[in-house]
Amino acid sequence: MAKSALGFYLWGHSNVESADYILTRMRESYPDSDLVISSDNGRDFTDVAEKHNAVNYIHGNLSHGYPQSPDRYGWTVEQSNLWLTRIYDACKTISNDYVMLMEEDILIKERFKFPAKDIIMIPNIKNGISPEGMFWVKSRGGRVDYPYYSAGGGTIINRKAFISAYDNHIDNFIEKYEDLYDVSMKQGYAGWGWNDSIICVLMYANNATYSTELPIIESGDENDPAPIIHNFKKYYTSKLVKS
């Protein structure tokens, strides 16, 4: 089997058992793909990383999203910066051309094809990016023809495109983040403060191409006819016995 163009970055937190299962299934179809795992402010995924041949495992005591800040809706600048930096580090480590952003509820049932775009998102979901966010994208010389996001678990990014977007825009993005957050909330766009939107905003600023033709189903049902199942939570509370 030829080496896949797709690598994987799993950002985990609590569900080690579920991560072990979904990575076992992933390795059936992608045995040689690079894998990076991170768990900030969460459980230890060391054993899972070793079992599934991760090329790197990152563990920290800061939060990149869990638990949520008790003082606000959506991520703080520190959480967003850490999450984007972890993706950047993963993209610098992984050698495959594309990287899937996996969570503990992304089940890959078989090898699949996807469009050769810079960001490939879940279909049939058009969450609006705030006018203030798109104004920032425009100020950076980016593309503003698609003011929506549906990114999140299962999203695929072009590794080099993300590295370029990060290198070119992260400093200004972090500098402007809290102002963008405040205005976006006042404009009624609560999605600004989550990982789903900020990765699109950062990549749109760098003129990323996009597609919403990711072959994924949101049902969580392992038996549904799609190569990728989101919201797969069968093992979220399970405790697997070590042999």
Side-chain angles (χ1 to χ4, degrees):
M1 182 181 295
K3 182 176 180 179
S4 171
L6 186 62
F8 299 88
Y9 169 61
L10 170 68
W11 62 293
H13 184 260
S14 303
N15 299 289
V16 174
E17 294 78 20
S18 187
D20 183 29
Y21 181 80
I22 65 171
L23 291 176
T24 297
R25 292 293 302 275
M26 180 273 285
R27 281 299 188 207
E28 292 173 0
S29 299
Y30 295 93
D32 298 321
S33 291
D34 288 346
L35 167 68
V36 171
I37 301 175
S38 76
S39 174
D40 283 289
N41 200 40
R43 290 177 61 189
D44 187 0
F45 285 68
T46 299
D47 289 347
V48 172
E50 292 178 354
K51 177 179 178 180
H52 298 289
N53 300 316
V55 294
N56 194 24
Y57 170 58
I58 307 163
H59 193 91
N61 58 8
L62 300 175
S63 173
H64 59 7
Y66 298 105
Q68 290 296 316
S69 169
D71 303 320
R72 61 188 270 163
Y73 183 87
W75 286 4
T76 65
V77 63
E78 292 82 10
Q79 290 171 326
S80 294
N81 191 26
L82 180 60
W83 186 72
L84 291 168
T85 300
R86 288 287 190 247
I87 296 174
Y88 180 78
D89 292 342
C91 285
K92 297 281 279 189
T93 301
I94 289 170
S95 63
N96 307 88
D97 294 335
Y98 293 86
V99 178
M100 173 179 276
L101 307 182
M102 296 184 73
E103 299 171 359
E104 298 139 318
D105 62 351
I106 296 294
L107 179 66
I108 298 171
K109 296 165 54 181
E110 60 191 56
R111 202 154 170 145
F112 60 91
K113 296 180 180 180
F114 54 91
K117 302 293 185 179
D118 293 331
I119 181 166
I120 304 100
M121 299 177 279
I122 296 170
N124 304 319
I125 298 176
K126 293 179 74 173
N127 299 311
I129 296 172
S130 70
E132 187 70 8
M134 294 309 295
F135 179 79
W136 179 81
V137 170
K138 185 176 181 179
S139 75
R140 301 297 293 177
R143 64 184 308 157
V144 293
D145 59 316
Y146 191 73
Y148 305 101
Y149 69 91
S150 65
T155 296
I156 295 172
I157 56 176
N158 180 302
R159 181 177 66 86
K160 292 182 179 178
F162 182 83
I163 290 171
S164 178
Y166 185 99
D167 286 341
N168 290 333
H169 304 289
I170 190 64
D171 289 343
N172 189 266
F173 182 72
I174 294 305
E175 177 186 347
K176 303 291 186 181
Y177 182 89
E178 288 298 335
D179 289 338
L180 291 167
Y181 174 89
D182 289 341
V183 175
S184 296
M185 292 298 171
K186 291 176 182 177
Q187 291 175 338
Y189 288 80
W192 172 262
W194 302 98
N195 62 300
D196 308 70
S197 61
I198 61 176
I199 189 169
C200 289
V201 170
L202 188 69
M203 293 189 72
Y204 291 167
N206 212 53
N207 284 295
T209 59
Y210 60 85
S211 171
T212 58
E213 297 179 18
L214 187 70
I216 189 170
I217 288 181
E218 292 280 288
S219 69
D221 186 346
E222 189 171 3
N223 297 314
D224 276 341
I228 313 168
I229 304 296
H230 192 199
N231 292 319
F232 178 77
K233 301 182 187 296
K234 181 177 180 180
Y235 297 105
Y236 255 43
T237 59
S238 298
K239 301 295 181 183
L240 303 184
V241 177
K242 290 184 178 181
S243 59

